[in-house]
Amino acid sequence: MEAEIGGRGGVSTGGGKAKIAGSRQQLKGKEGSSTRVHREHGPVDALLSGFWPPEHSPSGADAHLRFPDGTGLLQTPRWDEPQRACALEQICGVFRVDLGQMRSLRLFFRKPRVSTFIAPSSPLPRRLSDEACTSGQLVIASRESQYKVFHFHHGGLDKLSDVFQQWKYCAETHLKDQQVADEKTCMQFSIRRPKLPSSETHPEESMYKRLDVAAWLRHLNELGQVEEGYKLRKAIFFGGIDVSIRGEVWPFLLRYYSHESTSQEREALRAQKRREYAEIQQKRLSMTPEEHRAFWRNVQFTVDKDVVRTDRSNQFFRGEDNPNVESMRRILLNYAVYNPAIGYFQGMSDLVAPILAEVLDESDTFWCFVGLMQNTIFVSSPRDEDMEKQLLYLRELLRLTHLRFYQHLVSLGEDGLQMLFCHRWLLLCFKREFPEAEALRIWEACWAHYQTDYFHLFICVAIVAIYGDDVIEQQLATDQMLLHFGNLAMHMNGELVLRKARSLLHQFRLLPRIPCSLHDLCKLCGTGMWDSGYIPAVECTGHHPGSESCPYGGTVETPSPKPPREGKKGPKMPREGFGFRR
């Protein structure tokens, strides 16, 4: 939400992260006070910044009241200027709260004043109810019954109540002792949270628990080999991995260890890979002066800037002269030597850091990162061919699963179809969109390669399906759409998105035929994509410039002619055949 509630003694609410509801409005209060609300039905969250003049300033303790971090109410996003944000809180009385974690909102209106005046055309006095006096308090209640009160001294509270009434995540609760409508003094709203109906979840959703030590050992035989790797990947896809064994299981997901390797063979492999890693590092350190200057210019300069600002809030990388930061730096520099064709791109440090924090060994982390780069769809820049391919697939998936959103993108032209809002999702693998615990769960589901190598695209579609309806309702332009999804960062429900993505994948597999534009979506997958033995038919979409026939062998279905209908023409219906449940 962007809001400014001005006037002497008023409350100013604002900030780029807040979203309360709908379209841009100009709301007027008494004595020239105004409220400008940019309504974007995004996540159930808002950023409220309160500014009190000296005569209305609360006590020092109340001015800096913050909900405890442990409650999850103050999920701090990744700030570009954290010191600035902290200063705002301490100096200006800025207050931030995630409304999605609140229990209720209450608005208390002061009783309208009644004034007497004499109209110029009449000698008799008249009584007028001062309806413009909509001063009062906004009270935000947390689930733990902690409260924050905002005072509206010069009106505007009725306009804010209108916003809450239109906001789809607010449900008005009618109070038992409520007065008649024209004398309303109190309103209460409860907070609705995004939910996924059971009818929209994967049928096997609740069958798997998180992979813990006991479950992991059941997947290993007496030699330490993984038996039935497909079942292991399925368990990880649905349940994730317990933090305590990530360092042992991730190397299997990242293809550093093969499922067939024994415990003894893995130890021998680690020793061999340590020697290879040492050779790569020695090659980097023994560059000629000319080679080193070119390497510093093309790689090292960027790496040195990135590593010192990557995951520094994580205890593993916190503090000055942290040796783990230097380990991350060496891994990235050595990878650029190992794979000069890719070298280093910004964003790689965000991928390496969590692996190093879980695997805890520099050499093992390096080879896990090599596996990540070789066996996942890594997008190195917003303009490379891989990104174009991802966007093509994503557009087609949206056309199948969320036709109204796809049509909105088409209506925006080329800018809309570029889908700038999801570039960061793909470049950084959702790491900036969700808190770390949820982001790593998403990584594990993607690394499981269960039924598709492109599960990250189903994650993108799930985000749009859950949080994108307001883009359509408000007909947001490209830049507004970018702001809408950007403000969702760190406020989305990662588990909800995962469940929706798994459901979308399940529905995709049930399609009797798929468009040829998504044919490659299944091509790279190993055993298990169509594990029932049923391969869906491929239907040609007809978009193959320079080719007379479909390169994927797709057939074009021609609908059988229907007799003309008399009377009024009905509305044109979208082409059927790829329908998904919403």
Side-chain angles (χ1 to χ4, degrees), residues 561-578:
K562 295 181 180 178
R565 295 173 60 185
E566 294 182 4
K568 261 186 165 182
K569 261 190 179 180
K572 269 192 177 180
M573 299 300 291
R575 178 179 173 188
E576 297 180 354
F578 300 118

Side-chain angles (χ1 to χ4, degrees), residues 276-478:
E276 291 182 24
Y277 180 68
E279 290 171 3
I280 294 168
Q281 179 159 288
Q282 184 57 39
K283 181 179 179 181
R284 174 174 64 85
L285 296 175
S286 58
M287 288 180 179
T288 65
E290 185 178 344
E291 290 173 333
H292 186 268
R293 281 193 295 271
F295 185 77
W296 185 90
R297 184 174 59 252
N298 298 328
V299 174
Q300 187 170 333
F301 176 74
T302 310
V303 170
D304 288 346
K305 284 197 306 182
D306 285 355
V307 295
V308 295
R309 56 188 183 187
T310 300
D311 285 6
R312 296 311 294 272
S313 60
N314 187 321
Q315 183 65 39
F316 190 76
F317 297 105
R318 193 176 297 168
E320 295 297 323
D321 300 320
N322 189 318
N324 298 322
V325 176
E326 183 59 27
S327 290
M328 175 167 54
R329 175 179 174 273
R330 287 194 297 267
I331 290 170
L332 293 168
L333 294 177
N334 292 336
Y335 182 81
V337 172
Y338 172 80
N339 192 345
I342 291 181
Y344 176 80
F345 288 98
Q346 284 188 311
M348 285 185 177
S349 60
D350 283 285
L351 303 180
V352 166
I355 301 175
L356 180 59
E358 297 294 343
V359 175
L360 303 177
D361 180 87
E362 183 174 324
S363 172
D364 291 341
T365 298
F366 175 85
W367 293 109
C368 284
F369 182 63
V370 169
L372 174 66
M373 300 295 286
Q374 288 177 346
N375 298 292
T376 60
I377 313 299
F378 175 73
V379 180
S380 58
S381 79
R383 297 171 187 257
D384 71 1
E385 293 180 4
D386 283 328
M387 174 64 90
E388 288 302 321
K389 188 185 294 184
Q390 306 299 301
L391 296 179
L392 170 64
Y393 293 156
L394 185 53
R395 282 192 290 267
E396 284 298 289
L397 280 175
L398 286 170
R399 185 172 67 84
L400 296 184
T401 62
H402 205 322
L403 184 59
R404 289 178 61 230
F405 190 90
Y406 174 78
Q407 289 171 338
H408 177 66
L409 295 179
V410 172
S411 71
L412 296 174
E414 185 62 30
D415 286 346
L417 292 172
Q418 282 299 312
M419 297 188 289
L420 296 176
F421 61 86
C422 72
H423 283 201
R424 188 175 70 178
W425 304 352
L426 298 173
L427 287 167
L428 298 179
C429 303
F430 309 102
K431 194 181 176 190
R432 301 284 175 88
E433 316 311 317
F434 299 94
E436 185 178 78
E438 295 181 353
L440 297 185
R441 265 294 292 116
I442 291 173
W443 285 18
E444 289 168 352
C446 294
W447 294 348
H449 294 275
Y450 176 71
Q451 297 185 336
T452 180
D453 287 350
Y454 291 84
F455 186 64
H456 58 287
L457 297 184
F458 289 90
I459 296 286
C460 294
V461 175
I463 293 174
V464 170
I466 296 172
Y467 298 104
D469 283 349
D470 303 306
V471 172
I472 307 166
E473 291 171 11
Q474 299 175 46
Q475 293 293 294
L476 296 184
T478 304

Side-chain angles (χ1 to χ4, degrees), residues 103-120:
R103 185 181 73 243
S104 66
L105 306 168
R106 283 200 183 199
L107 290 82
F108 295 94
F109 299 89
R110 289 181 192 167
K111 195 170 183 179
R113 294 194 298 267
V114 178
S115 55
T116 304
F117 75 102
I118 298 177

